[in-house]
Amino acid sequence: MDSGFNDDFLEKELFGGDDDGLDGASMDVDDMMLTGQSVVAVEADLASAAAAADAVAAAAGNGVPEDDGRVRLERSRELHTAKLDIAMDDPPGELTLLQHPPRAQVGLADGVQGCSTFEVTPTMALVNPWQIYTVTATPNMRWLFTGGEDGYIKKWDFNATVNGKQLLTLGQRHSLVDSIAKAGVIASYWDHTDVVEGGVEMLSPVYSMAVHSQALWLVSGMKSGHIGLWSVRHDEGRRISLLSKHKKPVSVLRISPDEYGLVSGSWDRAVLYWDLNTGRLARGFAGHTSQISSIEFQPWSCEQYEAHLRSESVGGAEFDAQTTGPVLMTTSIDGQCLLWDVRAPKALPHPLDTPKKTPPWATSACWSRDGKRIYVGRRNNSVDEYEFGAGSLPVRTLRLPLNSGPVTALAAMANGRHLVCASADNVRVWDLEQPAERRSTVPFQVIPGHHGGTISSVFIDESSRYMLTPSGNRGWDGTSNGNNLGYELTPVN
């Protein structure tokens, strides 16, 4: 089956960087597209840079063997830690996450906690002829928002949709599985306009979105690097402000657990923490060498916030897995996965290493619901599982069928036992507790609905009653099947 990814993907989009890193071994994406430099050439440059670093270390009289982990870590930092080419605000904004408790979460549906599996039934289709790059919803699933390449933000009435107020036509149902009969009920939409040079307003694709829990406002990422702040509940669709620091498309947006801050990631390789009370930058995270593909906060509860207040630690120069402070995980398209202690502005990130013979690629990563494990989707039909605080290498790798294609989206389910993996061919729910020795049993179930096409994200609501899988390539590479499907989750004991 065609995965939708062509062989030139890594050559065109994988590596980023500037003259400050790798002594020219790393280059900007646009430069690579112009020169046609191959991955083999880049890997050769990387190897040369590493060999040069070894030679310099030997000349300096370090005399430390090549296999010494500390030396390899220091060389990795020297070679791969990028500089943040963005002017910080003076005075900076506040790290709001450290000043306010996280908002209360919606309770889980009955039977979810500790259930042995889920019955996942596709029942809804939100019809949209354009690729959908991003989806977000209020925690109570009252309102759902989608955005993509068409340049419009669409607001859907999810209650009316799930109750079947509008049904699909026979023509719309023709290519879908029989259980999908409910059509998405659109409530409103507005132009996703950006202000470009000369003050001209024009439509911009919606690369990312995040919405306030009470739907008071919504933020969206634009092609120019601007972040739009939109009014939703009152004077819907009015652009309140533009946050302007990024220089390329804003690919990821995450509202902080306290809802007073915002973290953004962009194709310019920068990750920024915004203070939404003032619109000023509170911190920049410099370390990635390619386009940012995902950002996730480690689950952060009121109990953890109170423990942080009681602690006198403010974070050190090294990442500490025993920290009482909030942890941020970021990934980039070149496969980097970094963990950050939000409290310590000058602390180096903790990298999670890519296994040998694994292509350097990642568009999605997620935390387990208890915050103890991390899952990173890879290009070679696999998902790497890391244990927080247990080193930099994965504790195991989940391998999907060889023809499944790259893993483009992941989401952990609330029972702590299942992981949703979206590949080019299908969506699967993986049973993480099935013993490896039971090879006679397939460790996952295939969810009907999607057959071919790139899934841009997997969205599961906080109560674990519903799931959404929009189709789109997020502006990178891959094909879309034009479906945005909704599923009803039923716990099974």
Side-chain angles (χ1 to χ4, degrees):
M1 178 179 292
D2 183 8
S3 66
F5 288 81
N6 60 50
D7 294 334
D8 297 329
F9 173 71
L10 291 176
E11 296 182 16
K12 294 193 295 184
E13 294 289 353
L14 186 55
F15 291 96
D18 51 32
D19 293 337
D20 295 321
L22 296 179
D23 296 330
S26 177
M27 65 193 309
D28 189 82
V29 172
D30 298 330
D31 296 336
M32 180 169 286
M33 292 176 67
L34 291 174
T35 62
Q37 183 171 353
S38 69
V39 177
V40 175
V42 173
E43 289 178 344
D45 288 338
L46 290 174
S48 300
D54 287 335
V56 171
N62 288 340
V64 183
E66 166 62 21
D67 59 354
D68 186 281
R70 182 176 300 177
V71 170
R72 286 186 288 114
L73 178 60
E74 292 300 323
R75 183 171 68 246
S76 175
R77 286 171 177 163
E78 179 183 354
L79 291 176
H80 296 289
T81 300
K83 293 183 179 179
L84 194 66
D85 188 23
I86 289 179
M88 300 299 293
D89 291 326
D90 187 19
E94 280 191 342
L95 285 170
T96 62
L97 186 58
L98 306 179
Q99 311 297 328
H100 305 278
R103 67 168 178 83
Q105 299 285 301
V106 174
L108 294 175
D110 292 341
V112 169
Q113 192 69 39
C115 68
S116 60
T117 187
F118 285 90
E119 181 180 332
V120 184
T121 308
T123 60
M124 300 163 276
L126 282 64
V127 179
N128 194 326
W130 300 89
Q131 295 201 48
I132 299 175
Y133 293 165
T134 178
V135 61
T136 186
T138 54
N140 62 0
M141 295 301 289
R142 178 67 181 89
W143 302 110
L144 175 71
F145 301 86
T146 61
E149 65 176 349
D150 59 347
Y152 294 94
I153 296 177
K154 298 181 176 66
K155 176 183 176 183
W156 305 80
D157 186 337
F158 192 76
N159 283 354
T161 300
V162 77
N163 289 324
K165 297 295 184 181
Q166 183 173 320
L167 300 179
L168 296 168
T169 65
L170 290 177
Q172 292 169 334
R173 294 186 61 182
H174 177 71
S175 61
L176 303 174
V177 296
D178 292 342
S179 60
I180 301 177
K182 304 171 185 177
V185 178
I186 191 166
S188 60
Y189 69 94
W190 63 86
D191 297 351
H192 188 240
T193 54
D194 188 12
V195 179
V196 296
E197 293 183 6
V200 178
E201 292 197 356
M202 62 182 298
L203 288 180
S204 168
V206 188
Y207 283 90
S208 54
M209 280 194 306
V211 67
H212 181 258
S213 61
Q214 301 298 320
L216 295 178
W217 46 264
L218 177 145
V219 287
S220 64
M222 301 179 175
K223 185 175 183 178
S224 66
H226 293 157
I227 300 172
L229 177 62
W230 307 85
S231 177
V232 176
R233 180 176 292 184
H234 309 290
D235 195 10
E236 182 180 275
R238 178 173 65 89
R239 190 178 62 229
I240 302 171
S241 178
L242 280 177
L243 306 178
S244 305
K245 287 291 184 180
H246 289 295
K247 301 176 182 179
K248 291 185 179 180
V250 180
S251 49
V252 191
L253 290 171
R254 288 291 179 267
I255 298 174
S256 61
D258 65 317
E259 296 201 306
Y260 290 98
L262 173 71
V263 181
S264 61
S266 169
W267 288 14
D268 61 11
R269 307 182 295 279
V271 178
L272 304 177
Y273 190 113
W274 301 83
D275 179 357
L276 291 180
N277 289 321
T278 62
R280 305 179 73 85
L281 281 183
R283 179 181 172 184
F285 301 86
H288 283 287
T289 55
S290 189
Q291 303 166 354
I292 307 302
S293 56
S294 69
I295 297 173
E296 292 286 346
F297 281 98
Q298 187 181 29
W300 178 245
S301 65
C302 291
E303 292 77 11
Q304 290 171 302
Y305 171 74
E306 293 170 358
H308 158 70
L309 294 180
R310 293 192 298 266
S311 172
E312 296 181 358
S313 173
V314 294
E318 298 290 338
F319 181 87
D320 183 6
Q322 304 302 319
T323 176
T324 59
V327 175
L328 184 69
M329 174 184 63
T330 59
T331 65
S332 52
I333 195 71
D334 63 354
Q336 272 188 316
C337 183
L338 304 179
L339 303 181
W340 309 82
D341 186 341
V342 177
R343 301 169 304 168
K346 296 183 179 180
L348 290 171
H350 175 69
L352 299 181
D353 296 337
T354 303
K356 292 182 179 179
K357 300 183 180 180
T358 297
W361 186 90
T363 60
S364 181
C366 70
W367 292 89
S368 61
R369 288 296 181 104
D370 60 6
K372 296 181 179 179
R373 290 168 293 174
I374 298 167
Y375 301 95
V376 182
R378 301 297 186 184
R379 180 177 174 84
N380 61 338
N381 324 305
S382 66
V383 178
D384 290 329
E385 178 182 331
Y386 300 83
E387 191 166 334
F388 182 64
S392 298
L393 291 173
V395 294
R396 65 168 168 171
T397 297
L398 312 177
R399 301 199 179 278
L400 280 68
L402 294 177
N403 64 346
S404 61
V407 179
T408 58
L410 294 170
M413 306 193 82
N415 65 346
R417 179 172 175 171
H418 293 87
L419 179 72
V420 181
C421 309
S423 301
D425 63 340
N426 278 307
V427 178
R428 294 173 173 84
V429 177
W430 195 289
D431 186 352
L432 300 172
E433 293 188 3
Q434 184 174 115
E437 58 270 13
R438 293 180 56 186
R439 299 183 182 275
S440 60
T441 304
V442 177
F444 56 80
Q445 57 173 317
V446 176
I447 307 304
H450 284 285
H451 298 289
T454 304
I455 307 299
S456 59
S457 64
V458 175
F459 180 90
I460 300 177
D461 76 305
E462 291 183 5
S463 67
S464 291
R465 297 178 60 194
Y466 306 105
M467 182 174 76
L468 295 161
T469 56
S471 181
N473 62 16
R474 298 176 60 193
W476 286 312
D477 202 355
T479 59
S480 171
N481 58 19
N483 292 328
N484 182 13
L485 302 184
Y487 305 78
E488 296 182 26
L489 308 179
T490 304
V492 178
N493 294 318

